[in-house]
Amino acid sequence: MYTKLEEILKNAMQELNYNYEPKVIKSNVETVDFQCDDAFKLAKEYHKAPFVIAEEIVTKIKEDKNFSNYFKEISVSKPGFINISVSDTLINKSLKELITQDKFGVNKENETIVLDYGGPNVAKPLHVGHLRTAIIGQAINNILKFKGNKTIADVHLGDIGTQMGQVIYGILNDFPNQNYEDIDFDLNYLNVTYPKMSALCKEDEEVRKKCAEITKKLQEGDKNYRILWDKIYKLSVNDIKRIYDYLDVHFDYWYGESDAYKQFPEMMKYLEDNNYVKLDNGAKIIDVKEDDDKIDIPPCIIQKSDGAYLYATSDLGTIWQRKKDFNPDEIIYVVDARQSMYFTQIFRASKKTHIFDGKLVHYGNGTVNGKDNKPFKTRTGGALKLEDLIKEVKKEFINLRPENKNMDEQDLDKIVNSILKFADLQNDLTRNYIFDIKKFSEVNGKTGPYILYTYLRINKLLTGNDGNLSDNIYNDIDRKLRLKLLEVTNVIEQASKERRPHYLASYLYELSVIANNFYQNNHMTGLEGQIKNDYNIVLSFNNLVLKTLLNLLGIHIPKTM
Ligand code: ARG
């Protein structure tokens, strides 16, 4: 639709000797379908009033003998907007074409893209802070894959940081004089030990030092500590996987920072041989300042004076490994926006040293906040476990209506997912939002359950069709729904280009409102013949659009609700 209109405008402009690629956008006036604002740009270039240029273009278009095939009305409004209302013929022609196209006719892409949207830390349970990253990252992954790209998701576990030394120290205290192989503990033990040790380290300087020593030895490959590390890893990563699975969040690789350590000898040699590192008080650093920086960008420290490696070293090592193993065109990080300075540093370090010359992008996500508009915390002030949030949402939905208590467990889980994900993905990823369980669980309003309900309701109304859409449009709401459906291709293209899943969420909501309106005003029962067939075609395509876009956002449709 957009392409056709742009083509017509461009031809008219060309005949008038205006050389330009016009852009058609949705109109924000209720009575008009589309608009083109390019007369303003042409005005600057050709030194004429925008209104005059717009009039010339519209007159030219109206001269065409096929005018009425495409347009219901085209006019100029001051000071130079071109208003376009399309003909029913064009709507139906475009819709027929769209229905037959694979993947709504989106342009195919063919890049290799690595995505990093995990980053949980081993020995600690997933908390609410991991939710946005996972949901947004998986949605971007799904969208890029839909466009034909080869995507590779890597979880990038924090598996060798200070928390590992702390937990190992705790274990050695609780199981004294035991062979490391024989020490046995479970997940509950881990879940208690980490917060206990972390608190102790804050109070006790001695303990903190000992834990740091253990961490350092572990990083250097200490075999004995590694035995305990293995046990912690298995328990914790199993649990992390269980929650990600529940959220339908998946990774192709479960590499951790500890895997990046294997790259260090080779990478450090490369960096030193090429004089990319500088010594600064015994520490090894990479300078990343640039001349036009408006703020101070500190150097990237990659090895401390005591020989220890840092968070940045493991990210650089990981880029080194990704380049070697996958040779991607791009690496995308969906990580908390508060790490954006850090990513500026490592991206610059990686570019400057030519560890990786492809694209590196950080999409810094906002936080999920509590009612106080601060990152979600439990009553006692700790980070809320993701599993507890999931349980709370489930409870809220079950209590909404008596019949929800008897719902199929799998359906219930799909709805819980829709609540969490739609709440999240309706916001631009950079923004923080307040998680209002009550509001997000309702079947009315801008919620996951509302979209799911719309789908299921329409599905029940469908009675089959022969696939031949007639040239009729029956009323205003019918026209509105068809026009809305025609937007789907652009919406996906835009979401993919800008990596903004919330475009899909906004569209899903707007489409659902119109589709609800459609069946409330056009009763499907009692219809016969052509109109029944046409409505069935339009509504079943509507549901294909809803389902496809929901799936891209990681939301799946329950059997009933
Ligand atoms: N584990 C890190 C943290 O808890 C997040 C990792 C994000 N990903 C990355 N490639 N740095 O802060």
Side-chain angles (χ1 to χ4, degrees), residues 118-176:
N121 297 319
V122 174
K124 306 186 199 177
L126 289 177
H127 59 79
V128 176
H130 296 110
L131 185 67
R132 291 218 78 189
T133 295
I135 292 180
I136 296 164
Q138 185 66 53
I140 295 179
N141 186 353
N142 297 342
I143 295 168
L144 293 177
K145 227 187 281 187
F146 185 83
K147 287 272 296 166
N149 297 294
K150 176 174 189 229
T151 65
I152 301 163
D154 174 15
V155 70
H156 198 72
L157 294 167
D159 59 356
I160 194 126
T162 44
Q163 87 278 15
M164 296 309 268
Q166 294 174 356
V167 170
I168 290 176
Y169 178 88
I171 293 171
L172 292 176
N173 255 318
D174 290 340
F175 301 88

Side-chain angles (χ1 to χ4, degrees), residues 116-121 124 127 130 155-158 257 311 315 318 322 333-336 339 342-343 346:
D116 186 316
Y117 52 88
N121 297 319
K124 306 186 199 177
H127 59 79
H130 296 110
V155 70
H156 198 72
L157 294 167
E257 293 182 18
Y311 183 39
D315 261 310
T318 303
R322 288 172 181 168
Y333 297 79
V334 183
V335 179
D336 193 316
Q339 293 197 25
Y342 167 74
F343 280 105
I346 62 157

Side-chain angles (χ1 to χ4, degrees), residues 2 19 21 36 85 98 109 142 155 191 304 323 330 339 435 443 555:
Y2 287 92
N19 203 349
E21 292 289 336
C36 171
S85 283
L98 179 62
E109 285 173 359
N142 297 342
V155 70
N191 287 343
K304 291 202 279 196
K323 158 85 189 151
E330 181 176 0
Q339 293 197 25
F435 197 88
V443 184
I555 299 172

